[in-house]
Amino acid sequence: VQLVESGGALVQAGGSLRLSCVVSGLPDNDYAVAWFRQAPGKEREGVACFSRANSNLYYADSKQGRFIISGDNQKKNTVYLQVNSLKLGDTAVYYCAVELRPLGLGLNPALYDYWGQGTRVSVSS
C-alpha cells in the first residue's frame, strides 16, 4: 500500500491550495482517507476524512468551512484537501492516511493503517 501526497507549497496568507493524496495497492474501496497535519512543535491533528466506499465526509470541529475534502470521481484512488483563506497557523506538514474497513468516520490517528510521507504547506504574511 502506498500513499503519495502532493500540492504543498509556499503561499501567502489568504490564498488557497489543493492537496492531493493518491492511494495505491488496496484491493477494494472499503477504506477511509483522512488528512492530518503537524505544525512545528505541535502534535499531529486531524483535519478531515472521506469514505471511499460511500463518499461520507467528516471534519474536525475547528476545520469546518475553510477545509474541503473530496474524492475524485474519475480517479477513484485520489482524495483532495482544498484549503481556502490560508492563515499563518495553517503552516504544517500535511499527511494523508488510510483506515481499512472503517466502522465509522473519525480522526483518531491510532485507527489509521497506512500513512504518506507528507507534503509541506508554508503560509507567509
Side-chain angles (χ1 to χ4, degrees):
V1 178
Q2 189 175 21
L3 286 70
V4 179
E5 304 98 331
S6 62
L10 172 64
V11 293
Q12 284 194 322
S16 297
L17 273 180
R18 189 176 77 163
L19 308 179
S20 300
C21 174
V22 178
V23 180
S24 60
L26 292 176
D28 55 40
N29 288 335
D30 191 6
Y31 62 90
V33 178
W35 284 96
F36 293 82
R37 70 181 188 180
Q38 188 164 18
K42 295 188 176 180
E43 292 186 356
R44 189 170 298 190
E45 65 171 342
V47 177
C49 59
F50 170 86
S51 168
R52 190 70 264 181
N54 57 27
S55 298
N56 285 346
L57 311 175
Y58 177 86
Y59 290 91
D61 288 343
S62 61
K63 302 300 182 288
Q64 295 270 10
R66 294 192 302 114
F67 296 83
I68 302 170
I69 192 170
S70 62
D72 193 311
N73 290 327
Q74 302 291 330
K75 305 172 189 175
K76 295 294 187 181
N77 63 341
T78 301
V79 174
Y80 303 107
L81 181 70
Q82 177 80 24
V83 188
N84 298 320
S85 302
L86 280 156
K87 303 178 179 181
L88 296 179
D90 293 322
T91 294
V93 177
Y94 286 71
Y95 300 89
C96 66
V98 160
E99 180 186 0
L100 302 178
R101 293 169 179 73
L103 298 178
L105 291 182
L107 293 168
N108 179 354
L111 296 178
Y112 285 80
D113 301 287
Y114 299 98
W115 293 78
Q117 294 299 306
T119 185
R120 186 175 300 276
V121 173
S122 298
V123 183
S124 64
S125 58

